[in-house]
Amino acid sequence: MRRNSEEKENMKYDIVFAGVGGQGILSVAATIASAAISENLHVKQSEVHGMSQRGGAVTGTLRISDSEIHSPLVPLGTADLILSIEPLESLRYLEYLSPEGQLVTAIAPVQNIGTNYPLMEEVLTEIRRLPNSRQIDAERLAREAGSTRAANMVLVGASAAVLPLQPESLRNAVRKLFERKGSSIVEMNLKAFEAGRAAYAE
Amino acid sequence: MHAPLLLLGDEAVALGAVHAGISAAYGYPGTPSTEILEVLLRQAKESRSPHVSWTTNEKTALEQGLGTSVVGRRSLVTMKHVGLNVAADPFMSSALVSIHGGLVLVVADDPGMHSSQNEQDSRYFADFAGVPCLEPADAQQAYDMTREAFEISERFHQPVLIRIVTRVAHGKGLVKTAEALPEKPLQKAPAAAPWILIPSNARKQWGERLKNRPELRALMESHPVNELKLENTNRELGVITTGLALAYYRECQSELKRPVSHLHIGAYPFPEQKIRDLAATVKTLIVLEEGYPFVERFLRGVIPPNIEIVGKMSGSIPAQGELTPEIVRKTLGIPSMQGQKLPGGLKLPGRPPQLCPGCPHTDSFHSIKAALASFQPHLVTSDIGCYALGAMPEYNAIETCVCMGASIGMAKGAADAGLHPVVAVLGDSTFLHSGMTALLDAVASNTNMTVMILDNETVAMTGGQTTIVPSPRLKDVVLGLGVSPEHLHVVTTHRKFIEENAKLIRQEVEHPGISVIIAVRECVETAKKKKT
């Protein structure tokens, strides 16, 4: 976050999302965006639908600021956070990450490219060697919360510590996203969210 | 005033249309335009109005919109850029009739071809037809311009084309909405002649349109979105942006060494006088536009020859693909920031889109490959849809993909030229969209070819919209086109039946005439959605 000590500097926080089509990365973006709006912040978001969602690499951006945002896309070298739901995909957009930026990723791989997928240890080592990265076992934590489908909300929880947003706004956004599906689904996703928060703090 | 809503550009268009009091909306699914009608369908389900439906193709969608207009009501028609090629016939002539109820076409371009077979720029189409065109830069403008487009359409008695691009259609931003207008009353057009385009009337109508041209130009010349800001301190450089390019320009404007004169264009015909006013104060003009060099190309006819133009035609900006913040920064002389690199230099493999695990197309491709292996050479033509992914390694099952429905026409052409066997492979919705007419040609000449309709009971690629003819009735449609019942087969495509279906394909390939095999099994994604 470029919240500079000089008074004039505005708050501006850029996120690049990464994942594989079908993993629910767009819901992660939607949840964080909805939390930002509830705090009266400006928001711009970009996503790509269609053919690329068929099991291919999927990316999106979310920009949060206390003043007007123009471009939906994040320029190279300026993202504050890469939030990824798949370890290999987390490495695909590093050129967008600012030198101080952080990478938070789930570690369960989507192995749909056969033998082209590098050795897991190599992928995780690359992530570990970045200046500022965090690996979250989102799938396991989601399973413990009730369903692996909540892995994306674990990721929202894990990012809570670094986002310029109140945890309560994020919780409310999780509630809002799932309220149509009933209270037990809401509770499960909130549990996943808290598990992600705790995992980041560890 | 309501609280601002976070909307996709597509959703903003839909809401703008509802608030403009539309009575109807029509379209054919196509990325990145699909969400517009999906939002409207949800709205229609809740409140019974407006009338919203997916149509067989973009041509029928636009014709239905014209019908709404002739009885005095407003309608929205949506499609992706290549859909306008299909709708080009009604579109070009709709420019001549006397539009009564406002008619607005939203066409979503896909520069960079995220999910398309070309990156044509629909502003050329608006110019070609001689209709006004609005080009929003973000979701707020998408909302505002959709509302405004209906007013312009009724004032100038022409359809208005709204051109959006992927990053506007699938970009989300906050949108402030205004008071909703009621529907227009049902009221037939005051005269029939302007709608009867027989030559004598058409000549009159075209003359009228040309006569109105100066008034339309004047409207766009003074349109607030076409904003000119002159910086008298900088006599060197001026910038023209169009549509989305405004966002990238604004983003880095504060990093420019000196203030720069700037003209934004979002409403066409573009404001020639403002361009001349800008050109009179600078030596070099940078033109930033998403898509083809539409404005850049026309500049030479508007500004003095001694002014240097920097853009896609000058070679400074890539002629292909999307604009990016980096391209805009580089063109403006602003350095880009350095991001991070892979610390260990791991080589990242690509992850292209692929058929879903369990996809019925997979089994169909295995059958087709097994059936044709012993025939060399053979040709498998294919089409627009998920099954185009059959071109990828592992399958390598298809050899062509050009435009909606082309598989059948191309198969006939190849068979007429003497190749055998030829198999055309296309989906149920693509067949209904544009394949039926070509099949009629093949039936008429009893062409020696086989058509495989992969019926997954949905429009899969765009997210599972309902096919216009339900799966069980597809057979009747094919029979109705004249295919003989002995050479029309409906089979289940499944791993269990790969060899059995291959045998049937071999048998029909050996039949010296037209044959059709409908291979049915529901899309795994649609089936999954039904369960949840």
Side-chain angles (χ1 to χ4, degrees), chain B residues 248-256 258 260 262 332 334:
Chain B
Y248 302 140
Y249 175 69
R250 287 244 193 275
E251 174 87 14
C252 58
Q253 205 179 356
S254 64
E255 295 173 61
L256 288 166
R258 301 166 63 189
V260 166
H262 171 222
L332 293 167
I334 304 169

Side-chain angles (χ1 to χ4, degrees), chain B residues 23-99:
Chain B
S23 300
Y26 304 101
Y28 185 82
T31 313
S33 72
T34 313
E35 291 79 2
I36 304 172
L37 224 64
E38 290 197 321
V39 169
L40 291 170
L41 278 165
R42 279 199 293 274
Q43 156 103 13
K45 219 173 171 181
E46 283 161 21
S47 62
R48 289 180 58 209
S49 169
H51 174 94
V52 184
S53 55
W54 292 120
T55 56
T56 299
N57 62 37
E58 294 84 355
K59 178 180 188 287
T60 66
L62 182 51
E63 287 156 353
Q64 289 162 61
L66 279 167
T68 315
S69 173
V70 78
V71 295
R73 293 194 141 164
R74 291 181 165 183
S75 66
L76 183 78
V77 179
T78 73
M79 59 194 67
K80 68 183 293 174
H81 57 340
V82 284
L84 185 51
N85 301 335
V86 179
D89 198 359
F91 177 64
M92 294 302 291
S93 297
S94 69
L96 274 67
V97 300
S98 208
I99 291 296

Side-chain angles (χ1 to χ4, degrees), chain A residues 12 14 19-20 26 30 33-34 37 41-57 63 68-78 86 88-89 91-102 110-113 116-118 122-123 125-127 129-132 149, chain B residues 4-6 8 31 35 114-116 137-139 166-174 244 246-251 253 322-326 329 336-356 385-386 388-389 392 459-464 523 525 532:
Chain A
K12 199 165 159 26
D14 291 345
V20 177
L26 296 183
S34 135
I37 293 166
L41 294 166
H42 291 259
V43 166
K44 274 253 157 96
Q45 217 181 319
S46 178
E47 45 199 53
V48 171
H49 305 187
M51 190 175 223
S52 54
Q53 282 181 295
R54 294 276 169 269
R63 316 188 73 190
E68 194 182 355
I69 309 161
H70 299 288
S71 162
L73 297 182
V74 175
L76 292 178
T78 63
E86 207 277 347
L88 178 64
E89 294 309 315
L91 295 170
R92 205 177 289 285
Y93 311 98
L94 284 179
E95 57 179 348
Y96 288 93
L97 192 59
S98 89
E100 307 79 41
Q102 188 164 75
V110 176
Q111 304 265 17
N112 66 348
I113 48 173
N116 285 341
Y117 203 104
E122 284 176 9
V123 174
T125 303
E126 288 283 12
I127 296 169
R129 285 176 60 188
L130 289 166
N132 210 349
R149 291 181 64 181
Chain B
L5 305 165
L6 182 67
L8 282 175
T31 313
E35 291 79 2
H114 294 280
S115 206
S116 303
D138 58 18
T166 300
R167 303 293 176 181
V168 171
H170 289 167
K172 276 187 185 170
L174 292 170
L244 172 67
L246 179 67
Y248 302 140
Y249 175 69
R250 287 244 193 275
E251 174 87 14
Q253 205 179 356
E322 287 185 294
L323 277 185
T324 62
E326 280 64 47
R329 294 176 74 89
S336 280
M337 256 69 81
Q338 274 295 327
Q340 297 194 15
K341 287 194 183 83
L342 281 159
L346 177 72
K347 215 169 163 290
L348 291 189
R351 197 189 302 255
Q354 48 188 282
L355 292 172
C356 305
C386 287
L389 294 170
M392 300 299 198
V459 192
M461 177 65 91
T462 46
C523 165
E525 280 294 312
T532 53

Side-chain angles (χ1 to χ4, degrees), chain B residues 211-230:
Chain B
K211 215 163 63 190
N212 290 340
R213 216 58 195 156
E215 196 189 333
L216 182 62
R217 284 188 181 284
L219 175 78
M220 298 316 188
E221 192 68 58
S222 61
H223 196 290
V225 82
N226 294 338
E227 193 185 3
L228 173 63
K229 275 212 173 117
L230 291 177

